[in-house]
Amino acid sequence: MATTQGTVNAMLAMSAKRTTAVDMYKPLRQYIVYHYSEREAQDMEEDLQTVHHMRNEVEKSTNSLEQQRDLLQRYFRALTVMESRFPISNEREHVNTLHFTWFDAFKTGRKASQQNIHFEKAAIAFNLGAVQSQIALGHDRSSPNGLKQACNAFQAAAGVFAFLRDNISMKAAGNHCTPDISVECAGMLERLMLAQAQECFFEKVVSENKQSSLCSKIAKQVGLFYEEAYAALVLPPLNQHFDRPWVAHVQLKSAQFNAEACYRAGLDLHDKENIAEEIARLKAGSHMLSEARRSGKGGVAPLMDAVAKLELNINRNLERAIKENDRVYLMRVPAADSLPPLTRAALAKSTPVSEVFDASQEKMFAGLVPDSFAKALSKYTEMVDGIIRMQAEKLQTESEITRVKLREMDLPDSLHALEGSATLPDQLRDDVEAVQLDGGPAGLEVEMQQLCALRQVNEELLVQTEDLLEKEARQDAQNRSQYGTRWTRPQSSTLTKNLQNRANGFAANLKQAKESDARIERTIRDNMAMMAILDAKPIEKALPTLGRPMLSLDGNEDQIIGVLRQKLGELEQLGLQRAGLEDMLKDMKHKDNILPKLMTTSGSYEDLFKKELAKYDQVSVEVSRNVEAQERVLQQIKSQNDVFSATFNLEDYKASREKAFKQVNVAVAKYREVRGNFNEGLKFYVTLQDAITNLKQQCSDYVLTRSIQSREMMEDLQSHIGGLLVNDRPSQPYQSIGGNSSQGQPPAQVSHDSSSHHTYFHSSNLSVNPAQFTHTGYSSYQGQVPQAPGQPPYYAAQNHSAMPLPPYYTQPPPQNANFSQPPYPGWQGAFYSTPQVPGQPQAVSSQPPYQTAPPGGYYNAPPGAYYTH
């Protein structure tokens, strides 16, 4: 099972395979006595005891990791020596009472047993790689020396698993074998160990503050190693063998370091002021992480934290880059798939284990079997490998020649076109399917209606906002006309100048956006006929078909087609025969074991080799026959295809097909252009709606405040006028009831505090920046107009700092407040129905995916910056 390290960069190690006790001494001694003599058995007593003791130590595994590593290496060399001296199988003349039983390292309840020394060697090699991975995981990577030791141990583990894959797994494979020592699993583990060794190099360069470009190259190679390991984990026979945490760990690691490469490349691009590519790289990295976090459930907490931290850094840099591009550079951001692949730097390599496993210097059982036998067996194996390699290369070369020549003759595609089943190139087919899943050209009209409806919502909001200001201005003018010079508060026009400027800016921007909407609508209308081809399902229906000639002289078209199909069928049979020959060669090599004959022969080794190699002659002859037959059939196909092409006017069909391909490609490009314009328009209108909503709220606060002040001022004026009328009457206008009123007491005077007239608005109190929308088409305005910290939007607080705020005053919204709301009932735009990512906490507010506006409130993009004509 995997073990993880509790650091930010979590890594994996394998647990060793368990085994059962095996008596190595008795079966081997009996074999020596039976085939040689008792005396030779006595001479081999010490070696037999050594092998028996090592096997028992391997079973117990109670030593330290370093001691286990040394023990496994010694025992593997002993098995290599035994392989050429003790044939272990169920045959009567072999060591047939020795059974090796091993449990699976990942499914510990599963076990397998074989009478095969290669099975024992495969298990020992696996355990050696597992111990090396545990040693690597035990080093402290926070120190330079510990990081170096961990890297070396991971590379050593990778070398062991590569040796297992290339030299042992095939020999140990069979019905009674566990998947952990299969070729696929050994290859996957090698990739995993290389990924973790490369990750150590990445940690080193990051800790040393190396250049971002170098960090990106190393991180990209880490991601590639993890990708290769993940690809093996999700395919048979491993896809049902590993626990989910294993798969999730490797998947997340792959996404993490591919995104890390994009992040580091983005830093380097930012220094070079290549902002457009930086944005594209960062978007790609952010997408990788979000996809991996959604699908890679089950990762350990340190790894999830590392991924989350990286995603935060990428998004922060992406936001900064977008702002700088919108303000300064105004560069067109390329699509992620149009960028060249990031450069890789592979520093981690599998450490060769040939010296570790070299048994040529071992003295064990040297007196039993001469070393010349082992050398002769090695020579024979090399000769077999040479024969098989040469024949396999011939077969593979012929298969490639067949593919190239058929492609040159446009076969069998031309026959498929005759049947009405023409096909698109794979990439173009994927593009069309993506367009159809997106709704296709038929859905553009609905999108256009939604865009216009959203613009209408903004226009209505702006009209409501302007009505508020106009109504207040009319009321102020009416009061000023009624009271004349006694109406001393400032005119509305002096206070609402900034608000009016902002409203005018929004109106101008909406007017220009409306023109952009009209251009989009014209583009759809002008190109709908051309884009309609994308609505065909399946798309192949829109492709031209290869028809029969209208005028036939001989009437032999069916015969021409039949002969061509027949020859193609013969060619296909030859291909299947080549695949069978390749499998036959592999099977013969797997079963080829001349060790018993080699050990008992009394003649020359060369004579034995010649006799044994003769069994490969027949396969070599079959390979040559297959090659000759293929050349003959290909020539016949070429001649018949020339007749077919001339009869069915194939060149004209190819021209019309290529023209159709180009039409589809142009239609896809135009659809993507319109879709991009839609997305920019939706983003613009949603953002502008927030801004207008904020302006409307400020205008409402202003109108409410002015209304209350107007009422207070009218009360003061009416009280003042009443006091003047009282002073014009006699000193005792009314008699006191009962005659008890005070005589000579002056009437009460109305107090008029002149300071009460200073509570009205002054234009100097407005803190709004009067920035205007000045660009054409969709703007990139993304946020609210900033207010001065702690200042109410309209109150003249600097003139009356001691005056308390009125009870009807509402604090301005914070900078990060979200005023967005669906523009009309039922709207399901891209920014209002964002799906919740599983496992991710619900955000407090659903901000649209655009950034905060710079000081001044609006971006001043050049005309047409976001609209493609």
Side-chain angles (χ1 to χ4, degrees), residues 54 182 282 332 470 478 538 569 679 686 782:
M54 284 193 294
S182 65
L282 293 177
R332 182 181 180 86
E470 291 176 2
Q478 180 180 351
N679 293 339
V686 170
Q782 300 176 358

Side-chain angles (χ1 to χ4, degrees), residues 393-409:
E393 288 176 355
K394 283 184 180 180
L395 295 173
Q396 293 170 2
T397 301
E398 291 304 315
S399 296
E400 184 62 27
I401 290 174
T402 300
R403 285 192 291 270
V404 172
K405 290 188 175 181
L406 288 178
R407 189 181 304 115
E408 290 174 352
M409 292 183 285

Side-chain angles (χ1 to χ4, degrees), residues 375-440:
K375 294 179 180 178
L377 180 62
S378 176
K379 181 180 180 180
Y380 173 80
T381 304
E382 291 177 0
M383 296 170 67
V384 172
D385 290 342
I387 294 173
I388 293 178
R389 187 183 308 111
M390 182 176 62
Q391 301 303 322
E393 288 176 355
K394 283 184 180 180
L395 295 173
Q396 293 170 2
T397 301
E398 291 304 315
S399 296
E400 184 62 27
I401 290 174
T402 300
R403 285 192 291 270
V404 172
K405 290 188 175 181
L406 288 178
R407 189 181 304 115
E408 290 174 352
M409 292 183 285
D410 201 24
L411 289 173
D413 291 346
S414 57
L415 289 177
H416 292 162
L418 189 61
E419 299 169 351
S421 56
T423 58
L424 284 173
D426 293 341
Q427 182 60 47
L428 191 56
R429 181 199 299 275
D430 294 341
D431 293 341
V432 173
E433 289 178 354
V435 169
Q436 292 178 347
L437 288 174
D438 194 43

